[in-house]
């Protein structure tokens, strides 16, 4: 889901939030002076921190237990229940913010679909989630490979051919009264006669058989008038052709609809099935699908309805701006939904509701579709999630009584996170104490989580608030609000150094836009415009359309104003700044410099490519892909474009195709980037150890080609790594030393590895210390240095890693293993549980499962095994442990 729900302030202060006119003269493009001493009220507005949003997600208190339950149910459930279970798994991962795992769950739901409707829904959902990535399909086509997933489904082949019902003996030659029957029968329609084979027509359905061969008067007639049945002579001739050949031939759409209605009226199931299939092939545009869906629902045409549904879903989100499509989905009754979507109503409306929320969470359509989602929930878990989501929308729409009812329903059904909505509503109604007491009750009656303390902090005085926020950060360091509140509080006290240190804590491991925005405001207050423009340019790199101050000012406009107060850099200045910041591993600073360079006449393809590398390093894969696509768009030559296409394919898991693009580029022109890409892709795709010599040769070829020192340093670093893997330590050391000479700071890590392999741990430790001293982002350097120190130094380094980047899991595993070696089982498990509470990591779950197995806690081990296999179903060691533990289950 792309839209976060903004918070509701009990005093409505959010609606009147600060607009930066006090310090920005927008019409003049000037920035007025602002000082801490003279404009404290402006500062107060400038550094305002909004309440944390209420997330419209399924957030179980013990997500591990829920994942384990889902996995257990998947092992034994009927096939038709699997997709819904994977949808629930998707919702759990979405609540955890695990985008890759979310998509994998959707893919599993698509793969395990038991009916065509589920295939259509989850295929469309995957396509919707990958908006902007259509280029990948096009690039695969240029490699003569088709994207394997989410393409159009041949609807007709998904439904069995209807052979109709037994219409009686088609070779009857006598009527019911014993009189011989005529071989032919003539149907008169509007004074036009159509002669048909009596038995062929009677074979179309039981009613026709009874009419032509039974006791009805028509059975003794040679001419039957069908003028009152809304059938044209052309329609009857087409039916005669079908009765003879079993094929409708070339029939116009209007005539097909006419025949369909007639076939339905006279129960001609085989004829109806043929019309259904032919019409389904015509529902290729939204206009056609809108018209044909009405007929499909009226005449119970399942194939046509599914085809129209596919057309609508393939057109998401645009089709939901068409009121006719919305009306079809909104007002379909139970029977019509059965025709249109089978038993997949909840899945369909879950997708449609999400699209509407992303379009406008406050709209009437969003509320209406979520109401239907609640209505179609089949299980308690589906119902509580749907109630919570609708409660969030009702709160946004200020429909407080209804929001309260929904949050209470979700909370009472077991969705404890819905207490956040209840607390906000109580606060809005002036009962702040109830909110505090309710959160206290939740904290005391279960396993406390970070969000519980964060929420309770909103309802207590300053001292208690800070204590609760510290507790929240300790339990879940990924929550941004506590850092922002503490930083803003320190800034108000004019403790500038501490305020910046606090906001930098989270920006060191989580590049949150709201945190960058707050730091930007700090720098403005300090009149440090160079630092301010660095942050706002990083913001615009991540989100070009970002709006600041609760959406009231475009970030691009603010950047224009701030630029009036910084010196303009020449192209040479920019390159010097980029080298300095890249060398000091200042990724945010490097992003800012590249953003500024893109405004010049420099080659933009190269710059966008560098931007993508930084964004990947900062764990921003969507922004990185956008930059790669821009690099391709601005490539100055065909061979350069092929390189960027190769990286796009490689980064999306198509390694062989990426390698193919590199080879095509080299055929046109030998370039550094083409050789580098080929070496990188080959090293990753080949399992043959002998390919190392090829990789070495490719990197050497790359180094012979023109490039700047930034990229050559990376190539030397990679070459050194390959030499180390081949045991050629002297050559590796030369590569790392040469890389350091051109200021590729990360080469210290490779050189440290060489020292270690030469049995000189002290030199390795010292080498990593140099990297730590130079790098601004150095959590990984501390983690690597921990391998080269004694036990106390290792512990100190890993504690520092957790302080700098609590999302890195190795320190938790190391500390837990040390505790386990010391027979401190409970402490070891607690250390792992501390991280598992906010990060669904396979390795953490694996180790905790092993600890549980060691202590004969079979149920605990089985739970962690199942949750881990939800994260990675194909992890071999996890599968073996699960099998072993499962065999001991009582």
């Amino acid at each position: 889901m792309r839209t976060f729900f903004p918070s509701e302030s009990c005093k409505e202060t959010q609606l009147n939030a600060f607009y930066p006119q006090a310090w920005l003269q927008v019409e003049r493009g000037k920035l007025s002076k602002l000082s801490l001493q003279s404009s404290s009220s402006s500062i107060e507005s400038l550094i305002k921190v909004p309440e944390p949003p209420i997330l419209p997600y399924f957030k179980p208190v013990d997500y591990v237990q829920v994942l384990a339950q889902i996995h257990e149910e998947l092992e034994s459930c009927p096939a038709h229940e699997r997709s819904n279970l994977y949808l629930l798994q998707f919702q759990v991962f979405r609540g955890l913010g695990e985008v890759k795992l979310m998509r994998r769950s959707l893919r599993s739901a698509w793969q395990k679909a038991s009916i065509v409707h589920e295939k259509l829904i989850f295929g469309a959902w995957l396509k919707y989630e990958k908006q902007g990535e259509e280029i990948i399909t096009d690039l695969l086509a240029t490699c003569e490979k088709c994207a394997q997933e989410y393409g159009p489904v041949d609807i007709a082949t998904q439904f069995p051919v209807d052979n109709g019902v037994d219409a009686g003996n088609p070779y009857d030659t006598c009527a019911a009264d014993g009189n011989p029957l005529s071989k032919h029968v003539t149907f008169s329609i509007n004074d036009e006669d159509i002669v048909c084979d009596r038995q062929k027509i009677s074979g179309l359905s039981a009613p026709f058989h009874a009419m032509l061969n039974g006791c009805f008067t028509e059975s003794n007639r040679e001419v039957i008038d069908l003028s009152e049945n809304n059938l044209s002579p052309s329609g009857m001739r087409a039916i005669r052709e079908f009765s003879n050949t079993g094929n409708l031939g070339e029939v116009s759409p209007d005539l097909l609809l006419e025949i369909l209605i007639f076939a339905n009226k006279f129960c001609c199931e085989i004829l109806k099935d043929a019309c259904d299939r032919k019409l389904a092939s015509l529902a290729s545009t939204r206009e056609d699908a809108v018209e044909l869906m009405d007929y499909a629902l009226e005449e119970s045409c399942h194939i046509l309805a599914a085809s129209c549904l596919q057309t609508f879903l393939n057109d998401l989100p645009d089709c939901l701006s068409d009121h006719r499509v919305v009306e079809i989905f909104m007002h379909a009754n139970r029977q019509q939904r059965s025709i249109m979507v089978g038993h997949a109503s909840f899945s369909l409306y879950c997708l449609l509701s999400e699209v509407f929320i992303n379009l406008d969470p406050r709209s009437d359509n969003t509320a209406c579709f979520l109401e239907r989602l609640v209505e179609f929930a089949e299980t308690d878990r589906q119902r509580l999630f749907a109630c919570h989501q609708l409660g969030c929308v009702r709160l946004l729409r200020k429909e407080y009584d209804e929001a309260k009812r929904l949050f209470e329903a979700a909370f009472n059904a077991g969705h404890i996170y819905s207490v956040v909505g209840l607390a906000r509503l109580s606060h809005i109604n002036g009962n702040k104490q109830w909110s505090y007491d309710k959160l206290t009750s939740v904290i005391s009656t279960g396993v406390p989580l970070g969000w519980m303390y964060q929420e309770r902090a909103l309802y207590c005085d300053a001292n208690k608030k800070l204590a609760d926020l510290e507790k929240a950060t300790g339990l879940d360091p990924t929550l941004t609000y506590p850092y922002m509140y503490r930083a803003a509080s320190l800034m108000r006290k004019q403790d500038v150094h501490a305020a910046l240190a606090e906001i930098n804590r989270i920006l060191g491991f989580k590049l949150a836009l709201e945190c960058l925005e707050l730091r930007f405001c700090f720098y403005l207050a300090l009149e440090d415009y160079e630092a301010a423009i660095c942050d706002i340019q990083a913001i615009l790199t991540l989100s070009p359309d970002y709006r600041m101050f609760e959406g009231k000012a475009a970030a691009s406009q603010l950047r224009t104003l701030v630029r009036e107060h910084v010196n303009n850099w020449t192209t040479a200045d920019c390159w010097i700044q980029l080298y300095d910041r890249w060398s000091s591993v200042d990724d945010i600073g490097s992003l800012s410099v590249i953003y500024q360079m893109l405004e010049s006449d420099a080659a933009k393809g190269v710059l966008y490519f560098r931007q993508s590398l930084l964004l990947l390093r900062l764990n921003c894969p969507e922004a990185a892909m956008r930059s790669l696509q821009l690099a391709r768009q601005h490539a100055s030559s065909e061979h350069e474009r092929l390189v960027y296409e190769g990286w796009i394919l490689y980064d999306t898991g198509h390694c062989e195709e990426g390698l193919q693009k590199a080879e095509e580029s080299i055929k046109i022109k030998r370039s550094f980037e083409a050789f580098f890409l080929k070496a990188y892709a080959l090293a990753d795709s080949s399992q043959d150890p002998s390919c190392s010599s090829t990789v070495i040769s490719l990197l050497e070829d790359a180094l012979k080609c023109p490039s700047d020192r930034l990229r050559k340093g990376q190539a030397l670093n990679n070459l050194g790594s390959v030499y180390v893997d081949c045991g050629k330590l002297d050559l590796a050391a030369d590569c790392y030393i040469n890389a350091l000479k051109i200021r590729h700071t990360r080469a210290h890590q490779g050189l440290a590895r060489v020292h270690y392999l030469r049995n000189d741990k002290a030199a390795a430790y010292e080498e990593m210390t140099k990297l730590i001293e130079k790098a601004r982002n150095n959590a990984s350097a501390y983690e690597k240095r921990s391998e080269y120190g004694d036990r106390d130094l290792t512990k100190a380094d890993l504690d520092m890693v957790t302080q700098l980047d609590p999302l890195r899991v190795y320190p938790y595993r190391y500390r837990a293993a040390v505790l386990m070696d010391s027979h401190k089982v409970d402490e070891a498990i607690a250390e792992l549980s501390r991280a598992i509470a906010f990060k669904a990591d396979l390795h953490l779950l694996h180790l905790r499962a092993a600890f549980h197995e060691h202590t004969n806690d079979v149920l605990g081990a089985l739970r962690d095994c199942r949750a881990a296999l939800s994260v990675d179903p194909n992890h071999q060691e996890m599968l073996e442990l699960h099998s072993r533990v499962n065999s001991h289950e009582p």
Side-chain angles (χ1 to χ4, degrees):
M1 189 172 296
R2 296 162 177 78
T3 303
F4 283 95
F5 283 74
S7 61
E8 287 284 337
S9 171
C10 63
K11 300 297 184 183
E12 302 289 339
T13 53
Q14 306 294 332
L15 300 178
N16 302 305
F18 170 75
Y19 188 74
Q21 289 286 5
W23 49 276
L24 291 180
Q25 300 297 319
V26 176
E27 68 281 1
R28 293 171 179 261
K30 298 294 184 182
L31 194 64
S32 64
K33 291 294 183 181
L34 177 68
S35 69
L36 286 173
Q37 289 73 27
S38 62
S39 303
S40 60
S41 61
S42 295
I43 297 165
E44 188 72 20
S45 298
L46 192 60
I47 61 175
K48 182 171 184 170
V49 177
E51 293 174 354
I54 304 175
L55 303 178
Y57 304 147
F58 180 38
K59 292 179 70 67
V61 170
D62 188 352
Y63 77 86
V64 174
Q65 183 64 39
V66 174
L67 286 176
Q69 289 171 352
I70 294 170
H71 188 274
E72 183 179 11
E73 291 173 34
L74 283 168
E75 291 177 324
S76 57
C77 72
H80 70 270
E81 294 180 5
R82 286 181 184 156
S83 285
N84 272 338
L85 286 169
Y86 281 118
L87 175 57
L88 181 64
Q89 187 185 78
F90 162 83
Q91 302 292 0
V92 175
F93 286 135
R94 184 168 65 175
L96 292 167
E98 297 287 350
V99 176
K100 287 185 178 179
L101 298 180
M102 287 162 50
R103 287 190 178 181
R104 206 209 51 232
S105 294
L106 281 181
R107 192 175 301 112
S108 296
W110 177 80
Q111 290 170 337
K112 300 297 181 181
S114 61
I115 58 174
V116 65
H117 308 95
E118 290 178 338
K119 202 82 170 176
L120 298 177
I121 292 164
F122 291 112
W125 204 330
L126 283 161
K127 180 182 175 184
Y128 175 71
E129 286 288 325
K130 292 191 171 188
Q131 288 179 91
E133 297 180 20
E134 294 83 1
I135 186 176
I136 296 165
T137 301
D138 297 336
L139 293 180
L140 287 172
T142 66
C143 299
E144 299 183 351
K145 180 177 179 180
C146 296
Q148 59 174 349
E149 298 175 355
Y150 333 133
V153 176
D154 185 351
I155 301 293
T157 62
Q158 303 295 312
F159 288 85
V161 177
D162 194 333
N163 292 314
V165 296
D166 183 6
N169 182 3
Y171 301 106
D172 285 343
T173 57
C174 295
D177 59 6
N179 294 323
L181 292 169
S182 170
K183 181 179 179 182
H184 295 99
V185 61
T186 299
F187 292 103
S188 177
I189 302 174
N190 299 332
D191 299 326
E192 188 169 341
D193 294 338
I194 298 96
V195 179
C196 301
D197 186 305
R198 179 183 292 269
Q199 298 310 322
K200 294 286 180 65
I201 295 295
S202 70
L204 291 176
S205 71
F208 265 125
H209 179 79
M211 180 175 70
L212 298 177
N213 297 325
C215 58
F216 294 95
T217 56
E218 286 86 352
S219 63
N220 294 314
R221 292 180 182 173
E222 293 187 6
V223 179
I224 300 172
D225 189 358
L226 288 182
S227 299
E228 303 300 319
N229 288 281
N230 296 317
L231 183 68
S232 66
S234 298
M236 192 63 228
R237 280 192 289 272
I239 293 171
R240 177 182 63 186
E241 180 68 17
F242 181 83
S243 71
N244 291 328
T245 66
N247 195 319
L248 280 168
E250 296 298 323
V251 180
S252 70
D254 289 341
L255 200 57
L256 275 174
L257 290 170
E258 182 183 303
I259 296 168
L260 169 67
I261 296 169
F262 181 85
N264 211 24
K265 180 178 180 179
F266 285 91
C267 304
C268 304
E269 296 303 327
I270 302 176
L271 178 59
K272 176 185 174 183
D273 183 74
C275 291
D276 198 355
R277 292 172 188 276
K278 263 195 170 295
L279 286 167
S281 67
L282 303 177
S284 56
T285 68
R286 189 197 305 173
E287 289 294 325
D288 292 336
V290 166
E291 181 181 354
L292 292 172
M293 182 65 92
D294 286 338
Y295 286 99
L297 299 180
E298 182 68 27
E299 304 298 331
S300 299
C301 296
H302 295 262
I303 304 173
L304 176 58
S307 183
C308 294
L309 177 65
Q310 175 171 240
T311 299
F312 293 149
L313 294 180
N314 284 342
D315 194 24
L316 289 175
D318 294 345
C319 74
L320 294 186
S321 62
D322 188 327
H323 70 92
R324 299 170 302 170
V325 177
V326 173
E327 289 291 314
I328 289 170
F329 287 129
M330 190 179 293
H331 298 300
N333 60 35
R334 184 172 183 175
Q335 180 182 356
Q336 290 171 333
R337 280 188 290 105
S338 177
I339 295 166
M340 178 170 60
V341 73
H343 62 245
S345 288
F346 184 83
S347 300
L348 173 62
Y349 284 81
C350 202
L351 167 59
L352 297 177
S353 299
E354 176 158 333
V355 177
F356 272 120
I357 287 172
N358 291 335
L359 291 171
D360 180 4
R362 290 180 171 85
S363 73
D364 291 341
N365 283 338
T366 301
C368 289
F369 272 75
L370 282 170
E371 284 177 352
R372 303 227 73 184
L373 184 66
V374 173
E375 177 187 346
F376 303 148
E378 299 173 356
T379 68
D380 290 340
R381 291 182 298 201
Q382 289 179 348
R383 193 167 294 105
L384 66 84
F385 159 69
C387 284
H388 174 75
Q389 202 168 37
L390 180 54
C392 290
V393 168
R394 294 296 185 199
L395 179 57
L396 274 181
R397 290 162 59 91
K398 303 190 185 334
E399 298 165 355
Y400 296 139
D401 290 341
E402 186 62 15
K404 181 181 179 182
R405 183 188 69 78
L406 290 159
F407 284 133
E408 283 179 342
F411 180 80
N412 293 332
H415 192 240
I416 304 303
Y417 180 72
S418 294
V419 74
V420 174
L422 293 172
R424 300 285 174 95
L425 286 165
S426 180
H427 195 187
I428 288 169
N429 291 326
N431 196 346
K432 183 177 178 180
Q433 188 60 45
W434 185 94
S435 301
Y436 183 86
D437 293 342
K438 188 67 174 178
L439 267 299
T440 300
S441 173
V442 167
I443 289 169
S444 62
T445 55
V447 178
L449 297 174
W451 64 259
M452 298 175 184
Y453 284 97
Q454 173 180 267
E455 188 64 24
R456 191 175 73 169
L458 303 180
Y459 314 115
C460 52
D461 60 37
N463 290 333
K464 286 184 178 179
K465 181 166 188 166
L466 286 172
D468 271 359
L469 291 178
E470 285 293 342
K471 189 70 174 176
T473 298
L475 291 169
D476 186 352
T478 67
L479 297 171
T480 60
Y481 176 78
Y483 299 93
M484 294 173 69
Y485 179 85
R486 288 190 294 262
S489 298
L490 290 164
M491 196 67 177
R492 291 188 188 101
K493 296 174 182 177
Q494 300 185 28
D495 192 344
V496 175
H497 178 77
L500 288 172
E502 182 63 28
I503 201 65
N504 287 340
R505 281 176 62 194
I506 189 163
L507 285 172
F509 67 89
K510 184 176 182 179
L511 198 56
L513 289 171
E514 64 270 23
C515 295
L516 276 172
E517 179 180 346
L518 184 62
R519 192 171 71 176
F520 165 79
C521 292
F522 288 175
Y523 288 135
L524 280 185
L526 297 169
E527 299 183 33
D528 186 349
Y529 301 127
E530 289 191 0
I533 202 162
C534 175
D535 278 351
I536 203 163
Q537 288 180 164
I539 287 171
L540 288 166
T541 299
L542 292 164
S543 180
D545 300 321
Y546 189 75
R547 298 187 67 82
M548 304 176 74
F549 305 109
E550 298 179 308
K552 294 179 173 62
S556 57
Q557 180 190 27
L558 294 174
R559 174 185 176 270
T560 300
L561 300 174
V562 174
R563 279 209 66 182
E564 295 288 328
H565 297 264
V566 297
N567 295 325
N568 289 324
W569 289 342
T570 65
T571 301
D573 292 333
C574 287
W575 277 108
I576 291 170
Q577 289 290 332
L578 185 57
Y579 277 121
D580 286 344
R581 298 182 190 211
W582 200 289
S583 299
S584 63
V585 196
D586 176 8
D587 294 333
I588 294 177
S590 299
L591 276 182
S592 175
V593 176
I594 289 176
Y595 186 93
Q596 190 158 331
M597 294 173 76
L598 283 165
E599 290 190 331
S600 69
D601 294 328
K604 288 183 171 53
V606 173
L607 292 172
Y608 278 121
F609 177 59
R610 302 294 169 81
Q611 191 180 76
S612 74
L613 297 176
L614 288 165
L615 289 166
L616 280 177
R617 210 150 69 193
L618 289 164
N619 194 29
C620 302
E622 291 184 5
M625 181 55 63
R626 184 175 64 245
S627 295
L628 261 181
Q629 292 185 24
L630 287 169
R632 174 181 180 267
Q633 181 181 328
H634 290 89
S636 60
S637 62
E638 184 181 358
H639 71 84
E640 182 185 346
R641 176 181 56 79
L642 287 166
V643 169
Y644 301 145
E645 290 180 352
W647 280 114
I648 289 171
L649 290 166
Y650 176 84
D651 286 345
T652 52
H654 303 285
C655 190
E656 291 183 7
E657 290 73 29
L659 189 61
Q660 182 179 331
K661 290 289 183 181
E663 290 169 347
E664 289 176 23
S665 179
I666 292 169
K667 288 178 182 177
I668 298 172
K669 183 178 180 179
R670 296 166 62 87
S671 69
F672 174 91
E673 293 297 350
F675 280 118
F676 188 92
L677 169 60
K678 185 175 180 180
Y680 205 94
L682 184 62
D684 187 45
S685 63
S686 176
Q687 303 298 319
D688 185 359
S690 64
C691 85
S692 295
S693 59
T694 306
V695 173
I696 289 171
S697 176
L698 288 168
L699 288 172
E700 288 174 341
D701 285 339
L703 288 165
K704 294 173 186 175
C705 297
S707 186
D708 59 72
R709 290 183 297 169
L710 296 176
R711 294 299 284 156
K712 289 209 169 185
Q714 182 66 63
L716 285 166
N717 197 62
N718 287 15
L719 183 56
S721 297
V722 180
Y723 279 137
V724 168
D725 291 340
C726 296
K728 299 176 180 179
L729 300 184
D730 291 341
L731 290 173
D734 289 342
C735 286
Y736 292 129
I737 291 168
N738 287 331
L740 289 170
K741 287 178 180 177
I742 55 176
R743 300 179 66 189
H744 187 78
T745 309
R746 285 184 171 83
H748 283 296
Q749 182 169 318
L751 194 54
R753 187 181 175 200
V754 171
H755 290 316
Y756 177 73
L757 293 172
R758 288 171 170 169
N759 297 316
D760 191 347
K761 283 182 67 175
Y765 188 89
E766 181 60 29
E767 199 67 43
M768 288 307 301
T769 302
K770 294 177 184 177
L771 176 55
I772 289 169
E773 291 170 349
K774 292 179 181 179
R776 176 168 293 194
N777 301 319
N778 53 19
S780 62
Y782 276 105
E783 182 171 301
K784 193 65 181 176
R785 191 177 73 170
S786 71
E787 299 176 19
Y788 307 133
D790 59 32
R791 187 160 183 162
D792 289 341
L793 290 173
T794 294
K795 183 180 183 304
D797 275 350
L798 292 179
D799 287 346
M800 179 59 74
V801 173
T802 299
Q803 181 180 331
L804 294 172
D805 184 354
L807 295 178
R808 301 183 79 90
V809 300
Y810 174 72
Y812 301 98
R813 294 167 59 209
Y814 176 87
R815 288 189 291 264
V818 170
L819 288 165
M820 200 68 178
D821 287 343
S822 302
H823 306 290
K824 297 178 180 179
V825 178
D826 291 342
E827 292 93 328
I829 291 174
E831 178 65 23
L832 294 174
S833 300
R834 182 161 70 103
I836 289 170
F838 59 84
K839 186 171 177 63
D841 181 79
L842 172 74
H843 303 290
L844 294 171
L845 289 165
H846 187 187
L847 189 56
R848 193 172 72 171
F851 287 178
H852 283 311
E853 183 194 30
H854 181 74
T855 59
N856 296 316
D857 181 359
V858 175
L859 293 179
L862 198 56
R863 177 202 61 210
D864 285 350
C865 284
R866 286 170 172 159
L869 288 172
S870 299
V871 174
D872 184 355
N874 302 313
H875 192 270
Q876 192 57 42
E877 291 182 21
M878 203 68 248
L879 288 167
E880 292 170 3
L881 178 58
H882 175 254
S883 177
R884 188 167 67 245
V885 172
N886 205 24
S887 66
H888 294 105
E889 185 182 11

